[in-house]
Amino acid sequence: AQSVTQLDSHVSVSEGTPVLLRCNYSSSYSPSLFWYVQHPNKGLQLLLKYTSAATLVKGINGFEAEFKKSETSFHLTKPSAHMSDAAEYFCVVTPVRAGGTSYGKLTFGQGTILTVHP
Amino acid sequence: SAVISQKPSRDICQRGTSLTIQCQVDSQVTMMFWYRQQPGQSLTLIATANQGSEATYESGFVIDKFPISRPNLTFSTLTVSNMSPEDSSIYLCSVGQPIMNTEAFFGQGTRLTVV
């Protein structure tokens, strides 16, 4: 079984300040973890992914996330928020089976709405 | 990567009717999935569309309500049957490959409103 908990349903920051979106997971298998972003009336876009390589993962638009197995966390950060970052963010987990194959089925967190103030 | 086209992008339907949503991928993919995103909620997996066999449904979803077809490796349909207002949601098609290091790709979604 697997699950994802996004600890904040809403995060509000000022433009130019750091962003932290928190995510904790549980998985019966070694997980692959992802962050997706959903802008209003647009499709889901992959920000970054962790697949058992480097624990610090860099993604698009200046975002990065660190996989911490001991804390079962995969928090998303950005040093300086931009107005265009305002969107809903989803932390996602999929289990990876022994041998390195993935089921491909995704379990989504509840989402965090990021608001960026001028 | 994969480019996914979903039709229709949105629809308003009468209760008691059915709507079929199409998902077309620009390349052959092994795994296709259908998700539902209810208003203000996260995405929930409805089922895995299997090519050449019956779809695999998640707990809480049944074939009679959400029949799925997967005639080949690039196309799938999801039907929402006997609709009620509670079925008003965004329905998304997703594709992935059963290998490591591959993320899932999503269609733009179908925004369904049942009145």
Side-chain angles (χ1 to χ4, degrees), chain A residues 27-70:
Chain A
S27 179
S28 302
Y29 297 92
S30 297
S32 283
L33 291 154
F34 310 86
W35 277 97
Y36 282 85
V37 60
Q38 186 177 40
H39 290 276
N41 299 314
K42 298 223 174 145
L44 284 159
Q45 181 184 21
L46 179 71
L47 275 180
L48 50 80
K49 61 183 178 184
Y50 165 77
T51 53
S52 81
T55 56
L56 182 62
V57 181
K58 294 188 184 298
I60 62 172
N61 301 333
F63 285 94
E64 62 181 40
E66 186 171 9
F67 174 73
K68 292 187 176 180
K69 186 174 181 178
S70 61

Side-chain angles (χ1 to χ4, degrees), chain A residues 6 32 34 36 38 41-44 46 49-52 88 90 94 96-97 99-111, chain B residues 10 31 33 35 37 40-45 48 56 58 90 92 94 96-109 111:
Chain A
Q6 290 182 243
S32 283
F34 310 86
Y36 282 85
Q38 186 177 40
N41 299 314
K42 298 223 174 145
L44 284 159
L46 179 71
K49 61 183 178 184
Y50 165 77
T51 53
S52 81
E88 187 163 17
F90 293 97
T94 186
V96 178
R97 295 178 286 188
T101 57
S102 165
Y103 291 108
K105 290 163 49 173
L106 305 181
T107 298
F108 281 74
Q110 291 302 104
Chain B
R10 58 178 64 231
M31 309 189 79
F33 307 93
Y35 289 83
Q37 186 176 22
Q41 308 262 340
S42 187
L43 281 78
T44 301
L45 180 65
T48 303
T56 306
E58 298 299 306
I90 299 172
L92 295 106
S94 169
Q97 299 285 15
I99 58 174
M100 207 168 172
N101 299 326
T102 301
E103 72 269 24
F105 300 93
F106 289 85
Q108 291 293 98
R111 185 179 295 272

